[in-house]
Amino acid sequence: MSEEATRSPEFVQSLERGLAVIRAFDGEHPQLTLSEVARRTGLTRAAARRFLLTLVELGYVHTDGRLFSLRARILELGYAYLSSLSLPEVAQRHMEALVARVHESCSVSVLDGDQVVYVARVPTKRIMTVGISVGTRFPAYATSMGRVLLAAQPVDWLDDYLATAQLRPLTRRTVTDPAKLRAVLTKIAAQGYAIVDQELEEGLRSVAAPIHGENGSVIAAVNVSAHATRGSFEMIRRELLPPLLAAAKRIEEDIRGGLSRSPTADGLGLSSA
């Protein structure tokens, strides 16, 4: 008896096909053409095109007109995204060790368009005004992780971002001038980390480092955040940055060691939006 014959009358084949299109993308195939999606799913080109364009319109897939790739909004579908990414599971124990050492909250995020999306978090018991959990989004330009991720983007992508992004002042310290932000991002790219001093919220400082995938591209960022009363900008650099960089390196070592099927940045929709 065929598989189709055993399916219940309530089985929705169009949903099955839509999920098959999503599953066509993986770590080895972060970007696919329409023909490749059709071939990998067994769908006709016309059917594959309809599913892909629907996913694009819903914000789950990005396309440059020829290539298609998943966007981080797939996170909204739940564990399927997290298990394919595997980054939260890989990072968790290193984040917990870091929090135990520095006694400050730690997070991991990816870039989705002009926002960072939190995919893992280990909080401390201290209460901050900013409420953060997995799935939380913040504007990239005002966050340490966002700036690390922006600094890793191709020049053309960054040019478009700076030309179109709405850089609103979230505090009196927020950098809102595109030229100044570009200079900040250039410095971050050179030094390999970002420190943001009360630009997202008054009283909140954070330091972030990039997480590189197997191919060397930046696939995510990890940060430590602290209340401004806990120490100066220099204290952040002196006491929080070194253990943060060490934790980022250990996460990368686990990724290279095969503990994560981490897709490339393009596969997450990080390099274009």
Side-chain angles (χ1 to χ4, degrees):
M1 183 178 295
S2 68
E3 183 178 346
E4 291 188 2
T6 62
R7 291 171 177 166
S8 71
E10 289 78 24
F11 186 87
V12 181
Q13 191 174 47
S14 60
L15 176 59
E16 177 196 29
R17 291 173 175 173
L19 293 174
V21 168
I22 293 173
R23 290 196 299 269
F25 300 90
D26 56 28
E28 295 181 358
H29 306 88
Q31 293 183 309
L32 296 170
T33 64
L34 171 59
S35 296
E36 289 169 338
V37 170
R39 183 168 62 253
R40 288 175 61 82
T41 58
L43 298 172
T44 64
R45 280 176 52 87
R49 181 175 182 275
R50 288 197 299 272
F51 284 115
L52 284 167
L53 293 182
T54 298
L55 290 168
V56 168
E57 188 168 339
L58 292 174
Y60 295 120
V61 168
H62 165 76
T63 182
D64 62 4
R66 188 181 74 86
L67 293 172
F68 295 84
S69 60
L70 296 182
R71 297 185 64 184
R73 192 174 183 181
I74 288 290
L75 178 63
E76 296 176 358
L77 300 181
Y79 184 74
Y81 174 78
L82 292 178
S83 62
S84 65
L85 176 61
S86 293
L87 180 59
E89 291 83 359
V90 171
Q92 187 72 22
R93 65 188 182 96
H94 301 298
M95 296 169 66
E96 291 173 353
L98 179 59
V99 170
R101 176 176 177 181
V102 302
H103 308 292
E104 301 292 354
S105 298
C106 178
S107 304
V108 169
S109 72
V110 297
L111 189 66
D112 183 26
D114 59 359
Q115 296 181 318
V116 290
V117 183
Y118 284 66
V119 297
R121 180 160 172 82
V122 177
T124 63
K125 293 183 179 180
R126 293 192 183 90
I127 299 175
M128 301 294 293
T129 304
V130 175
I132 300 172
S133 60
V134 171
T136 293
R137 292 170 174 263
F138 287 125
Y141 67 90
T143 65
S144 60
M145 289 189 289
R147 288 185 179 176
V148 163
L149 294 167
L150 290 174
Q153 301 309 306
V155 174
D156 290 347
W157 188 97
L158 190 58
D159 288 344
D160 290 341
Y161 170 81
L162 292 172
T164 59
Q166 297 182 359
L167 307 180
R168 297 183 297 105
L170 304 179
T171 74
R172 60 188 176 86
R173 302 170 185 263
T174 309
V175 175
T176 57
D177 179 79
K180 290 182 179 179
L181 181 58
R182 184 190 293 276
V184 169
L185 296 177
T186 298
K187 181 179 180 180
I188 290 170
Q191 68 189 15
Y193 65 88
I195 300 178
V196 170
D197 185 8
Q198 305 179 77
E199 295 191 44
L200 177 66
E201 179 187 342
E202 293 287 353
L204 179 65
R205 292 187 174 119
S206 64
V207 55
I211 296 174
H212 297 84
E214 293 177 278
N215 65 357
S217 63
V218 175
I219 61 170
V222 56
N223 88 337
V224 172
S225 57
H227 198 278
T229 58
R230 289 272 297 160
S232 65
F233 187 92
E234 286 306 316
M235 184 282 288
I236 297 285
R237 190 195 308 274
R238 183 179 64 253
E239 298 183 16
L240 298 184
L241 177 59
L244 174 68
L245 292 174
K249 183 178 180 180
R250 288 191 290 269
I251 293 171
E252 291 174 349
E253 288 172 348
D254 278 359
I255 290 173
R256 289 194 298 271
L259 296 183
S260 169
R261 297 187 308 279
S262 180
T264 63
D266 286 345
L268 283 171
L270 304 185
S271 64
S272 53

